[in-house]
Amino acid sequence: MTESLIDTLPSPTPGLEPGLIARLAADLGSAGWSVDAMETMISPTARAALMRNQRVPAVRELQRKDSPAAVLTRFFVLGCAESGDVLAQALPTLGVRGAVDLGLIFPALDVDSPSGQQLFKANYDLRPHAAQLQGGLKNWWILSDLGEDVTGEPIRPDHVLGIGGATTSLLKATLRTPVESALDLGCGCGIQALYLATHATRVVATDLSARACEITRFNAALNGVELDVRQGSLFEPVEGEEFDLIASNPPFVITPDSLRTSGVLEYRDGGMSRDHLVRTVIRESPNYLKPGGVTQLLANWEIPGRLGHPDDWENVVRSWVEDLPVDAWIVQRDRLDPAHYVEMWLRDSGQQLHQREDYEREYAQWLDDFVQAGVVEIGMGMVALRKLDTSRPGVCECDELEGGESPSGEDVQRALASLRLPDDLSDLHLFFASDVTEERHFLPGVQDPSALVLHQGGGLGQSVASTTALSALVGASDGELSVGQICGALAALLECDSLQLQEELFPQVRTLIRWGFLRVESDQE
């Protein structure tokens, strides 16, 4: 494989001089550089293109704009070269010299300037981020490494990722109740830790990557947030400590050992074979949780079987939590065949920028590895664990959520609470959620519906096949009657045994509670 110029240069690391960072923050604030400002400057069409890693539409729209916010967006987000004079106007307090000293910019010797002025390029992606949290709107600036769509080169092994789709999913799913202590395991650019700091008194952020730790420290300083950042593998930096909340977007990508000889991307490959890293995080995390504490992480898992006949994915993940002192809610959001999985992660690494033979060789090696391991599908999802503070055995529920929405923190809180419901649901007084509707299908000329479907308008956005009895129970769940009383009335109406009806309906009711169709408290409480 041909070695590019970027591979021969050391990866930059941002400076941490407090005075210069304070000047940078002052300039970014004075420029009014926010998410709202960027959305005003860049059309929806160009923003959509950026989401597809295509910058040309946004560059065209901003090329003639000279406001500080436009210059900062063009320079740090789109990777355009700018003259020292233009940057000095956008960063009047920090100045070009200060930006160079922080390691944020460098002279663009490979770009000719029509005016003859010295041009500069950005060493990093820097952009605003808005977070609507319980304490109100937070406006931050987040520094990370530039993507291959800007540099035109495959990303480096020590690349520090910005805020991508997986990151956003975990941010959405993380519990936001106030806690004393929280851990961001595998902090990357530090965005999870910044969110945790809005509701945790003490936040520790760890990462195996030295550069990730430095970038997290920079982002904490830039946004005036106090974080305890430590370098090390998995839980080693916090040995002997316990936390109320652990959030982790670990390097979960399943990478063949044969591909590690040429280096790996640290942000997505933890160096363990198969899906053992995710299993290790799950198995070890209870040792670092206080009683009642919660671990939340994103995960991939291998599903064995024969081609076209995968085994039950639940058997894989249940084995990871068996005998642990936890309740567990495990959600599978996607399952991919090996070819689809490999293509996704080759695109992620910028492998399409390599020569065709290099790309196809790596593709084939990856597929061969899955075949040899007997893997026919790869599951992708989320795991939430709550450490038990009682002697009662833990409960594990696995759900495959097709379509709909990724879980929010409220969804996770509700699902974990539902695992503590009594075995007998008869005494519960339930409420159906205000966003639940029912769809009925009739055959021509037939009075009774042939199919019933319950839909969620919000929440997880799921649809559930129903029966006459289940729909009637949901419709009667207004808090007045208990589940047992409703089942008794339905049994009399349907002329069936009440206990037998309860045995049929209770598992379905548990699922509806876990998914938010039915609630122990009404929406109005």
Side-chain angles (χ1 to χ4, degrees), residues 369-442:
D369 181 77
F370 282 130
V371 170
Q372 291 167 10
V375 175
V376 296
E377 288 186 338
I378 299 91
M380 307 174 69
M382 180 207 75
V383 177
L385 311 172
R386 188 187 296 278
K387 187 172 182 178
L388 299 177
D389 52 7
T390 69
S391 58
R392 176 179 172 179
V395 177
C396 176
E397 289 289 355
C398 298
D399 289 319
E400 185 160 18
L401 301 181
E402 299 180 358
E405 300 292 329
S406 61
S408 68
E410 291 80 5
D411 295 323
V412 174
Q413 183 80 28
R414 184 186 308 112
L416 287 174
S418 76
L419 303 183
R420 294 287 92 190
L421 291 174
D423 294 333
D424 185 354
L425 304 179
S426 299
D427 293 334
L428 287 183
H429 289 252
L430 300 176
F431 302 81
F432 68 83
S434 59
D435 61 352
V436 173
T437 57
E438 182 187 72
E439 178 183 355
R440 298 188 175 204
H441 296 260
F442 295 86

Side-chain angles (χ1 to χ4, degrees), residues 47-219:
R47 294 202 302 273
L50 283 176
M51 294 297 293
R52 301 190 300 271
N53 295 324
Q54 300 297 324
R55 65 181 186 137
V56 173
V59 170
R60 290 181 68 254
E61 292 180 359
L62 293 182
Q63 61 186 354
R64 301 187 187 282
K65 296 183 179 180
D66 58 3
S67 69
V71 171
L72 293 170
T73 302
R74 200 165 57 225
F75 184 70
F76 283 113
V77 177
L78 304 179
C80 297
E82 299 288 346
S83 71
D85 290 345
V86 170
L87 287 176
Q89 293 177 14
L91 300 169
T93 306
L94 178 65
V96 173
R97 181 72 261 168
V100 170
D101 290 344
L102 278 179
L104 302 183
I105 70 174
F106 65 96
L109 302 179
D110 59 335
V111 181
D112 293 328
S113 170
S115 63
Q117 296 184 34
Q118 174 65 67
L119 297 180
F120 292 85
K121 282 187 175 180
N123 263 326
Y124 299 96
D125 181 295
L126 177 65
R127 64 180 67 198
H129 175 75
Q132 186 64 55
L133 298 167
Q134 292 180 347
L137 180 65
K138 295 288 184 181
N139 287 296
W140 292 318
W141 299 287
I142 304 299
L143 180 137
S144 62
D145 279 329
L146 292 162
E148 72 275 8
D149 55 314
V150 172
T151 65
E153 295 277 355
I155 56 181
R156 301 167 182 262
D158 58 0
H159 183 86
V160 176
L161 201 63
I163 304 172
T167 301
T168 302
S169 294
L170 183 60
L171 290 172
K172 177 184 177 183
T174 302
L175 304 183
R176 297 299 171 197
T177 52
V179 294
E180 190 279 325
S181 58
L183 170 65
D184 178 4
L185 185 74
C187 57
C189 70
I191 186 63
Q192 303 287 347
L194 293 179
Y195 271 67
L196 291 172
T198 66
H199 59 98
T201 304
R202 179 176 68 91
V203 177
V204 178
T206 68
D207 204 293
L208 179 63
S209 165
R211 289 192 71 248
C213 290
E214 290 300 282
I215 287 176
T216 291
R217 292 187 181 101
F218 181 91
N219 284 327

